[in-house]
Amino acid sequence: MAAEVILSVRDLVTEFTTDNGLVRVLDGVSFEVKQGKTLGIVGESGCGKSVTAMSIMGLLPRPYGQVVSGEVRFKQTDLLSLSPQELYQMRGNRISMIFQDPMTALNPVHTVGKQINEVLVLHRPELSKRQRYDYAISMLAKVGIPSPEQRIHEFPHNLSGGMRQRVMIAIALACQPDVLICDEPTTALDVTVQAQILDLMREIQQQTGMAIIFITHDLGVVAEVCDDVVVMYAGKAVESTNVFALFEQAKHPYSIGLMQSMPTLNTGHKSLLKTIPGNVPHLNDMPEGCRFCTRCQHATDTCQHQVPQWELVSHDHSVSCHHWREVAQ
């Protein structure tokens, strides 16, 4: 039986007002997240991954950033049509988010326990003060924090980076959300702690059946935790498929470039890592056609002047490229 689509994003367009005028940061981004599955969103810095998450959560800085068109549907509810108060009740309750840097996401002047308690006061008003306290301790224990009865009274600066990230996970999971958005949650952690956090998230997902959107630039993390992947470049999704197809038969030149830039465990010789030449184009100076054409060795005049449309490679594999058939050979 196919997993239920729990979050659907369709043709999402987000714009920001800047000193140089209106800038389109996301241009027609679409993807689906299924219950109990993990969707990875990958790409270089500046490709629009975090803006996608902020657009879904309604956390764009007002009045400078706004979603101008598209649809973000959670089950049967279009999140973009909700009032600020309705979205406030949804956010942190049914849909939660873990941010990249817990030191800036956590309030430095409030204890860990108080910050978990804030979520419960808002979304679980039926709980008594004592019940909220006990529940907060149980959440800290659930995410692997030792001596939770002691840690609940401590401030974020008393904790290590890995502990702070576990606190962020405890806050995000306090209301047992249906969707968890993770914006590069392991980037600032050492590899041992990163592995522990990924194992923790996978274990909780198996227990609760929640869907996860995992935003990262680390393809190693994608291979370890994701079921499906969307590759983004310069505010557009360029390839969408399952994780096995991406690593074994990526079709878009940008996806292939990302794969080739990964270090391997080859022995017996030394070689330089392959790189993708150039940089992501500036938002005020996007190419007329394919946004990757200025860096693509397969680009033609068609690429420079015509925006590529989505084409179906297989039933769950789509790509936006004029020449993907030649590139993939």
Side-chain angles (χ1 to χ4, degrees):
M1 183 177 178
E4 174 194 0
V5 174
I6 198 165
L7 183 73
S8 175
V9 176
R10 286 284 174 266
D11 298 320
L12 186 64
V13 177
T14 298
E15 295 180 343
F16 277 75
T17 302
T18 70
D19 293 338
N20 296 318
L22 207 59
V23 172
R24 180 161 291 189
V25 181
L26 300 181
D27 191 3
V29 174
S30 299
F31 56 82
E32 293 179 342
V33 190
K34 299 176 181 177
Q35 185 175 15
K37 301 294 184 179
T38 299
L39 173 76
I41 301 180
V42 301
E44 294 170 272
S45 297
C47 284
K49 304 186 300 296
S50 294
V51 174
T52 300
M54 294 296 188
S55 300
I56 293 172
M57 295 292 288
L59 293 175
L60 293 171
R62 297 285 185 173
Y64 307 105
Q66 60 179 336
V67 176
V68 297
S69 65
E71 182 182 82
V72 179
R73 186 166 292 277
F74 169 71
K75 296 185 176 179
Q76 301 303 316
T77 303
D78 185 2
L79 300 183
L80 301 183
S81 67
L82 298 181
S83 67
Q85 184 59 34
E86 290 172 329
L87 191 57
Y88 188 62
Q89 292 295 327
M90 180 80 70
R91 190 169 51 228
N93 186 14
R94 302 274 44 90
I95 304 176
S96 289
M97 185 167 176
I98 302 172
F99 297 91
Q100 180 173 348
D101 186 357
M103 199 60 211
T104 57
L106 292 171
N107 193 321
V109 300
H110 291 310
T111 64
V112 165
K114 183 172 183 179
Q115 296 185 62
I116 299 177
N117 188 66
E118 287 176 345
V119 180
L120 300 175
V121 168
L122 176 61
H123 298 299
R124 295 293 183 268
E126 72 278 5
L127 298 179
S128 67
K129 184 176 181 180
R130 181 65 196 186
Q131 286 174 323
R132 292 196 302 268
Y133 177 80
D134 291 340
Y135 188 78
I137 290 177
S138 71
M139 287 303 303
L140 292 179
K142 186 174 184 178
V143 298
I145 293 182
S147 305
E149 299 85 355
Q150 172 188 342
R151 299 294 186 182
I152 198 172
H153 301 293
E154 295 188 352
F155 292 89
H157 67 267
N158 298 128
L159 306 177
S160 67
M163 288 289 188
R164 288 194 293 266
Q165 197 59 280
R166 289 173 187 267
V167 170
M168 284 294 300
I169 295 174
I171 293 173
L173 297 180
C175 294
Q176 299 180 351
D178 297 295
V179 178
L180 178 66
I181 301 176
C182 307
D183 188 3
E184 305 207 34
T186 61
T187 298
L189 306 177
D190 64 58
V191 291
T192 303
V193 177
Q194 173 178 285
Q196 293 172 353
I197 295 296
L198 295 178
D199 287 341
L200 170 64
M201 294 175 61
R202 187 161 40 226
E203 178 184 344
I204 293 174
Q205 183 184 44
Q206 291 172 351
Q207 294 172 354
T208 63
M210 68 179 175
I212 297 177
I213 298 176
F214 204 100
I215 296 171
T216 183
H217 60 268
D218 189 336
L219 289 172
V221 171
V222 169
E224 185 174 350
V225 304
C226 295
D227 300 293
D228 302 296
V229 187
V230 172
V231 180
M232 288 190 65
Y233 182 79
K236 278 184 171 290
V238 296
E239 187 162 5
S240 176
T241 185
N242 65 76
V243 69
F244 298 104
L246 182 74
F247 280 84
E248 294 175 4
Q249 47 185 332
K251 302 299 183 184
H252 196 280
Y254 179 61
S255 304
I256 294 172
L258 291 178
M259 296 297 162
Q260 293 176 342
S261 67
M262 292 180 65
T264 61
L265 296 177
N266 291 333
T267 57
H269 69 279
K270 295 180 180 180
S271 60
L272 294 175
L273 284 176
K274 292 185 178 181
T275 60
I276 302 175
N279 299 294
V280 179
H282 195 277
L283 291 170
N284 287 320
D285 189 27
M286 286 293 175
E288 179 185 350
C290 174
R291 296 189 172 188
F292 188 60
C293 70
T294 57
R295 306 174 68 186
C296 181
Q297 60 179 339
H298 305 281
T300 62
D301 288 342
T302 301
C303 302
Q304 295 175 9
H305 300 292
Q306 294 183 20
V307 177
Q309 302 302 309
W310 280 97
E311 295 188 46
L312 200 62
V313 178
S314 64
H315 74 282
D316 64 347
H317 191 168
S318 300
V319 64
S320 176
C321 175
H322 291 296
H323 304 296
W324 67 267
R325 288 179 179 84
E326 304 97 277
V327 171
Q329 290 180 353

